[in-house]
Structures are given as structure tokens and as C-alpha cells.
Amino acid sequence: MIQTFETVKELKTYGAVRSELIDIPRMFVDFPVTSNVNFADDLWEFYEFKRFSGEDWAYKYDFTQVNSTYKNFAKYMILRILFIKHNRFTTAKEKFNVTKKFINYLSENHMFYPNLIDAQFLKGFFSNTLSERSLSDKKYTIKMFLAELELRVKNVDFSECYSYLNEINSRKIKIEREKGKHKFIPIDIHNQIISAAILDIRNENLNNPQRAAACMIVLCAETGMRIGEFRLLEVNRVLPISVRGETESFFTLNFKTFKTVKETDFKWTWSFITENALLAYQTLTNIFRDTRKSNFLFVNQKGTEVSKTLLRFRLVEFFYRHKDKLQLDKIFDHEVSQFAVTTKRNLQSASFIPDEEMDRKIYYVTFHQYRVVLASILYNKGYKLDFIRKHMNHLTEEMTKHYIRIKELEKLEVNAVETLQKRSSKDGFTLIQDEEESSDRYIREEIKSKEYQEIYSQINKFLQKNKLNIFTDIQEIISLLSRTNNPIADMELGICAKSFNKLCQRNEYISSINDAYYLGVQVPSLDDLSFSIKRFQEKARIIEYNEDLYKKNPKYRNEFERELKGLKKYIKRKLNPELLLLKDEIKKTGNPGIVKNYPGLGEFLENISEIEKEVAEWIEKKL
């Protein structure tokens, strides 16, 4: 029903509406939040909940600059976030800052009628948000604030707003998350860093801060602990463990973690500790023995808990001191950005950097990158996921897999092997450069290209110079040319590695075309069989993963069903005809003849029965 008025005087003014909004929650404002904070206060300080020094900002909420029209609604929202949803104070403070900006935006636009807030108005507020992840977080916060208004103001309906706020581009967020991952640094560089740190630890001529920084790097790299956990490390927390019947003992390091618990609570956890890490721990114990005025292992000048800022400062100093030895500036790949970078202009108090080098870029490895590298090192050494999960103090194996990026590593390796073997000459010593030698029309087109001819030539020079064979030395080749395993220090190998990366990207594109489940006429060829088997195994792993998701949540049924149907078509039209061709060829030439004519098939011949059995099981598999 439309509301009517006798005179213009009866129309509500902005001031009257504001008064109503302010008055709505007024009857509830006078109650204690904590022993030190009342709801009516405009300055809330929750320092009794503080976990770490240097985090005062997260425990202080200043409402003095928040427009009084919406102030109390914001207060209710913060209380709900902190004491009902039990978000961390750092999280709540971020939401408070977003809400404060939104209230200011409402005030600047004289938006004192809440019903006038619509999706278009909200889009204006979000217009300068740079990333989809940030937009998603902000939308969630504003949705909470609007819900608080809707709860306490009559006749307000934000249904349209919620429809807009619930629109999230998950695919874009995933892409941003992948780009934002801490990069996996080359293993060789990782080892050089640890070697340099060990030398610093043993060098008693260095000052204590420099030796302490080296100890910090070794402990973080060899235990995988988070920097927040390192800050809280205590003395006398290394315990020897012996096994009955064994003469040698090993050691564990006990430490506090706040990662999986709420606010002021913590729990004790532990990690195995290597000889290098034990040396670093013992050295830190001795370095600060005379200045330590607390139980903390690494202390500041006052002998008490050190800040994250100081630890990062020491980290950068270490890399600046070793810049000529590590030469990260020559390894830095702008496409990958695998190292962090800073300058003295960003670290004004960095007296270890001369003023004339104010804008010199200092490349370094972040604390978190050591966790990523350690998880992958353990995985590559054959340690079980459950062991790595416990060592890394993860709640789930899924998080551990995220660190190791198992599927990405496996997929990259399969593609890298296929890239070379599919383009290899019969003897395996070079890539073919004659288009007539390939049965793949896309590779023939590739060989015609001047750009790819140059790429082929660079890789062939590398293979010939190092006397490597694509069939017998494939893992060594992949290791050398992969940017995650090699520092790419000299120009020749650097150029070759970039060429190899481009070729892998091209191969991934070709494979995607061929993965249209081979709907056209297929001519079976043993030249392709080794790649067909690998692609089958790769597809099977993906589908098994989707099947697990489907069992947990039926919404993944379509994804699983689509992949399963695709795999069956792939087997029927591509893989099975090639396997039948292999049987015929074995009857004619025997296994030695197969290996001679088709070197890539050698690794599969002994297990061909198991492969055929697995193929048959997938053909029979149903939802």
C-alpha cells in the first residue's frame, strides 16, 4: 500500500530518518562487552585477548570516526563476528575497516534510507576493488552488515542486494590464488642457501644477529615451521628419542602453535629435527644465553620476544650479504617471480645497505617458501603424505597436497616427458627436424615454423653437448631443464630451459586438441602408444579424484560422469586399437624387436598385462 500524507510537513526529513536509525538500537547500548569495554564506548580495546606483540592494531576498534547513523549497527556486527562466529581479531579488524569505509560511502551519498541501497549502489562502492578475491571478501562483509540492518530496521528488504553479493567468480578466484601461491624455488638454490647459512652458523667471527639469522633460516627450512611458530620457540625444547635395540637416537622439537586454535589458546606440537636444525637450535641457545631474559630462543636486544618485522629484516640482511654468492638477480625469472624483492627505500633503517644503493633490488626467499620446498622435498624422497602432514602440522592431507602440488607436478612431468619423446628421433639423441618423420599433423605444422625450428635447435645442442638420450636419460633431462630443479645460471642452459618451457606449453595445447576424445577416424600407430598409455593413466588419476569428490558430494556427479564417458571413448577409439597392434607386433618381432623399434614402449612391456587389466576395468566401470 502507498503511504499518503496530508501535508508536505508530514514527509520525513533526512534528519528524522537518521534519528530513527540511531534510536533503534539505543535501548540496547548500555551493557558490558568485557570487563574493560562497554557497548556505548567509542573506543574498544581487547588487549586481554592479544596473542602476539606487534599486533595491537588488531585489538583496537575506534568508532569515533564512524558516522553515528550506522555506528551501532557496525558495533553489533563486530560483536557477532568476534563472540558468536569466533573469528580471529585480525580477521574481524579487516571486516571492521571494510564496514567503516562502507558507512562513510553511505554518508557521502546521503544514503539515510536503507531501502534505497541497491545492487547498483553497491557496485559503485566496489568499483575500485582490484582483485576478485578481495571483492569476494568485501561482499561477504557488506552482506553481514546489511543483515544486521535488516534484522533491526522494520520493512527493509535486501534480497536484490544479496543476489548481487552472492555472485562470486570462483574460477577467477582460483586463477588468482594459483598466481598468488608462494613459488617453488629451485632445489639447487635452496641447497646453496642452506650451505651459506651453515657456514655463517659456524663462523664465530660474525656478529650475533648475523649468525642468529642463519640459524633462523636453517630451522625454518629443515623443520618447515611457520614464522609465527619460530618466534615463539623456547629453549630446552629439543628432546632425544631412542628406539629399543637401536644405538642411535633422533630428536624432536616441541613448540607452540596458534594456527589451528582460537585466539589466546595454543597447543604444543612437535617436528622431527635434522642435524643441521639441531646445530642451529643449539647455536641460538648459546648466542643469546647472556642477553636472554625470557624463555624465547630468538630474542631482541631487550632479551624478550622478537617481532616478525625484525625477523624479516634479518632475513633480508642475510640475502643482501650473500647476494654475490647466490646471484638471485641473475636467476630471477620475471615470468615466474619466484623470489620476493625489496629495496633500502622500503627498509629505511637497513644500515647494512649503503645509501647509494637505495633502489637496488634485493631478492630473497620468504619464510613460507621454505615450507613449500620442504614438503616437496619430503614427497620426492618417498615419504608418505600422512608423515608429511604431521611433520608440517597440517590438519588435512588436502592442505599438504596443496603445498606439494602433487597433481600439478605429476601432470607437468607427464607433459614434459611426452613433449620430448613424441618429437624424438629413432635413436633418442635429438629432436626430429624433418616434418616427414612425424605422424602427428600438428607437430608437422610445428616443425615448419621458424620459431619452433629455433627451439628444436637449442634443445638439440643441449642434448648433444651433454650426451643425453631422450629415452634412457629422460628424468635427468627433465630435471635439468625444469626451472623448479635447476638454477639456470648460465645463459646457454637458461635459453634452452625457456625454449623447453615453450615447447611444453605448445605440447599441452596439442594434447588438448587431441583430447577431444578422438571422435574422428583414428589410424592406430605404435609410435603413439607410449603417450596414449601415459595419457590414459593421467586421465584415470583425475577421474579417481573426481570420483572421491562425487562420493562426498553428489553435486560433482556431472563432472565425474563426463570424464568417465570421455575416458571410455578414448580407450575404445584410441588406446585399445594400439594395444591390439602391439600384441600383433610382439608376435612378429618379440619384446627385443619392440624395444629396438619403439624405445618409448620399453618401460611398459613388463607390465602390459596389468595395463590391459586396468583398461578393461575402466571400460566396465559404472556410476
Side-chain angles (χ1 to χ4, degrees):
M1 173 183 262
I2 299 175
Q3 187 175 3
T4 59
F5 301 96
E6 293 292 332
T7 66
V8 173
K9 292 181 179 180
E10 293 184 36
L11 289 172
K12 292 184 179 180
T13 63
Y14 278 122
V17 174
R18 290 186 65 187
S19 296
E20 285 184 16
L21 285 172
I22 296 169
D23 286 340
I24 287 169
R26 179 167 287 168
M27 66 181 72
F28 304 108
V29 301
D30 293 326
F31 62 87
V33 176
T34 69
S35 58
N36 301 312
V37 174
N38 287 327
F39 186 91
D41 297 339
D42 278 346
L43 184 62
W44 292 0
E45 294 177 333
F46 297 106
Y47 295 133
E48 65 267 36
F49 296 98
K50 189 171 69 170
R51 298 188 301 167
F52 308 121
S53 62
E55 282 191 352
D56 288 10
W57 60 272
Y59 298 87
K60 182 177 180 179
Y61 295 78
D62 188 352
F63 292 92
T64 56
Q65 301 302 314
V66 179
N67 187 286
S68 57
T69 307
Y70 295 102
K71 181 191 299 183
N72 286 335
F73 298 100
K75 287 183 176 182
Y76 279 117
M77 172 185 154
I78 295 301
L79 290 183
R80 193 181 302 278
I81 291 171
L82 287 174
F83 300 111
I84 296 179
K85 291 183 174 294
H86 298 290
N87 283 187
R88 296 189 187 281
F89 277 86
T90 48
T91 302
K93 188 58 180 286
E94 290 173 0
K95 288 178 167 50
F96 169 74
N97 289 334
V98 171
T99 305
K100 187 166 65 172
K101 289 178 181 177
F102 183 61
I103 291 174
N104 288 339
Y105 186 74
L106 290 169
S107 302
E108 290 166 4
N109 289 275
H110 306 289
M111 188 64 73
F112 302 120
Y113 282 101
N115 256 329
L116 295 179
I117 301 174
D118 59 12
Q120 200 60 39
F121 180 79
L122 294 176
K123 288 176 183 177
F125 173 69
F126 294 125
S127 60
N128 294 322
T129 307
L130 298 178
S131 73
E132 192 69 25
R133 293 175 69 185
S134 179
L135 177 61
S136 173
D137 292 340
K138 287 182 178 179
K139 280 185 171 182
Y140 181 77
T141 299
I142 299 309
K143 188 163 63 173
M144 291 184 68
F145 179 70
L146 294 184
E148 205 67 51
L149 276 173
E150 197 173 51
L151 177 69
R152 302 179 186 280
V153 181
K154 292 181 180 180
N155 302 320
V156 172
D157 182 3
F158 291 124
S159 299
E160 179 197 350
C161 294
Y162 295 146
S163 296
Y164 163 67
L165 293 172
N166 287 328
E167 291 175 6
I168 302 297
N169 189 333
S170 301
R171 182 175 178 276
K172 193 173 180 181
I173 291 175
K174 184 177 180 180
I175 292 171
E176 290 175 356
R177 186 177 289 114
E178 288 298 314
K179 288 182 178 180
K181 276 183 179 178
H182 292 271
K183 301 303 180 183
F184 185 88
I185 62 171
I187 297 294
D188 288 1
I189 291 301
H190 176 270
N191 293 340
Q192 287 182 42
I193 293 168
I194 300 303
S195 296
I198 293 294
L199 290 175
D200 280 0
I201 291 172
R202 297 186 185 280
N203 185 357
E204 297 184 2
N205 293 322
L206 282 180
N207 60 45
N208 283 348
Q210 290 173 342
R211 292 182 71 198
C215 292
M216 169 185 66
I217 288 170
V218 171
L219 270 168
C220 288
E222 303 251 329
T223 65
M225 67 172 50
R226 304 169 180 89
I227 191 59
E229 294 162 346
F230 174 81
R231 287 178 61 214
L232 302 178
L233 267 181
E234 297 180 355
V235 292
N236 302 319
R237 292 295 176 182
V238 170
L239 301 176
I241 296 180
S242 58
V243 180
R244 183 179 297 177
E246 297 289 337
T247 56
E248 294 186 5
S249 298
F250 61 93
F251 297 88
T252 62
L253 175 60
N254 293 337
F255 56 94
K256 295 176 181 177
T257 182
F258 286 84
K259 186 64 177 178
T260 57
V261 291
K262 297 295 182 183
E263 296 310 328
T264 54
D265 298 326
F266 66 86
K267 70 176 182 180
W268 284 100
T269 187
W270 60 273
S271 174
F272 292 109
I273 188 168
T274 64
E275 290 184 14
N276 287 339
L278 183 60
L279 170 66
Y281 185 91
Q282 292 170 338
T283 304
L284 273 177
T285 300
N286 293 328
I287 283 175
F288 295 119
R289 189 180 301 278
D290 296 331
T291 58
R292 185 179 289 109
K293 296 178 182 177
S294 62
N295 286 328
F296 295 116
L297 181 69
F298 194 120
V299 295
N300 56 25
Q301 290 181 333
K302 298 178 181 178
T304 57
E305 179 185 356
V306 70
S307 68
K308 286 185 182 179
T309 301
L310 180 58
L311 292 180
R312 179 173 174 268
F313 186 91
R314 296 295 179 215
L315 179 72
V316 174
E317 181 181 10
F318 172 88
F319 281 92
Y320 178 80
R321 288 178 46 245
H322 292 287
K323 62 184 183 302
D324 294 332
K325 180 177 182 179
L326 298 175
Q327 296 187 329
L328 300 189
D329 56 325
K330 294 183 180 179
I331 303 164
F332 182 77
D333 188 334
H334 291 278
E335 295 176 12
V336 179
S337 303
Q338 70 269 55
F339 304 120
V341 60
T342 190
T343 63
K344 178 165 183 172
R345 196 172 297 279
N346 296 331
L347 303 169
Q348 292 291 342
S349 58
S351 58
F352 56 86
I353 306 173
D355 289 340
E356 56 268 25
E357 296 183 16
M358 185 67 70
D359 293 309
R360 176 177 183 148
K361 292 182 178 178
I362 306 166
Y363 296 95
Y364 65 98
V365 176
T366 66
F367 292 114
H368 197 78
Q369 281 179 290
Y370 295 115
R371 281 178 63 77
V372 175
V373 175
L374 178 65
S376 298
I377 287 174
L378 291 174
Y379 177 73
N380 287 332
K381 285 186 176 181
Y383 287 93
K384 301 295 184 184
L385 272 177
D386 189 55
F387 173 87
I388 302 173
R389 179 187 66 78
K390 291 175 181 176
H391 187 72
M392 302 290 292
N393 284 293
H394 287 149
L395 282 176
T396 65
E397 281 192 6
E398 286 304 313
M399 178 56 72
T400 306
K401 289 178 182 178
H402 173 77
Y403 271 63
I404 304 171
R405 295 154 207 171
I406 295 172
K407 289 183 175 58
E408 289 92 334
L409 288 173
E410 289 177 344
K411 188 173 181 180
L412 284 172
E413 184 167 334
V414 168
N415 184 49
V417 171
E418 182 179 310
T419 298
L420 292 177
Q421 290 189 347
K422 209 164 188 176
R423 294 162 176 78
S424 174
S425 59
K426 290 274 187 181
D427 59 13
F429 287 106
T430 60
L431 300 183
I432 56 174
Q433 290 186 274
D434 183 350
E435 61 181 282
E436 298 301 324
E437 294 183 38
S438 176
S439 60
D440 189 308
R441 68 186 182 94
Y442 297 108
I443 292 180
R444 290 202 299 271
E445 291 173 6
E446 180 180 282
I447 293 173
K448 292 178 184 177
S449 163
K450 184 177 179 182
E451 176 190 0
Y452 284 99
Q453 276 287 347
E454 187 176 342
I455 288 173
Y456 275 47
S457 296
Q458 288 168 355
I459 293 175
N460 282 339
K461 286 178 185 177
F462 161 76
L463 293 171
Q464 291 165 353
K465 180 179 179 180
N466 294 279
K467 298 180 180 178
L468 294 169
N469 185 287
I470 291 172
F471 297 116
T472 59
D473 306 313
I474 188 64
Q475 294 303 325
E476 183 180 353
I477 295 170
I478 300 303
S479 176
L480 285 169
L481 293 183
S482 168
R483 62 158 58 99
T484 61
N485 290 313
N486 190 78
I488 311 178
D490 61 87
M491 286 303 293
E492 180 185 346
L493 186 56
I495 292 172
C496 184
K498 284 186 178 295
S499 295
F500 177 61
N501 183 52
K502 287 180 180 178
L503 199 58
C504 284
Q505 289 175 345
R506 164 73 177 172
N507 192 70
E508 194 168 12
Y509 166 73
I510 292 174
S511 296
S512 297
I513 294 175
N514 289 335
D515 272 352
Y517 301 127
Y518 300 85
L519 298 177
V521 177
Q522 297 298 315
V523 179
S525 166
L526 291 184
D527 289 324
D528 294 339
L529 180 55
S530 60
F531 317 119
S532 300
I533 293 173
K534 287 177 181 176
R535 192 152 295 281
F536 158 72
Q537 292 170 337
E538 179 188 337
K539 287 175 180 294
R541 281 196 298 270
I542 293 171
I543 296 171
E544 284 173 346
Y545 177 73
N546 285 341
E547 184 176 18
D548 287 339
L549 290 178
Y550 161 58
K551 288 177 179 177
K552 294 174 184 176
N553 191 333
K555 77 175 185 178
Y556 293 104
R557 176 190 174 98
N558 291 341
E559 185 73 16
F560 171 55
E561 188 174 17
R562 181 174 61 81
E563 291 289 348
L564 181 59
K565 286 180 179 178
L567 181 62
K568 288 184 177 184
K569 288 181 181 178
Y570 178 82
I571 292 171
K572 182 178 178 181
R573 298 178 181 179
K574 176 69 175 171
L575 182 57
N576 266 346
E578 291 175 359
L579 288 172
L580 289 172
L581 195 63
L582 176 64
K583 281 188 174 182
D584 292 339
E585 194 68 21
I586 289 175
K587 289 177 182 178
K588 294 177 185 177
T589 65
N591 285 3
I594 296 292
V595 173
K596 180 181 178 181
N597 295 325
Y598 307 98
L601 287 173
E603 62 179 296
F604 298 111
L605 287 178
E606 290 184 6
N607 302 316
I608 199 68
S609 297
E610 286 80 1
I611 292 171
E612 289 175 337
K613 182 180 177 182
E614 185 182 1
V615 168
E617 288 173 351
W618 278 104
I619 284 290
E620 296 299 322
K621 192 173 185 65
K622 294 180 174 61
L623 283 177

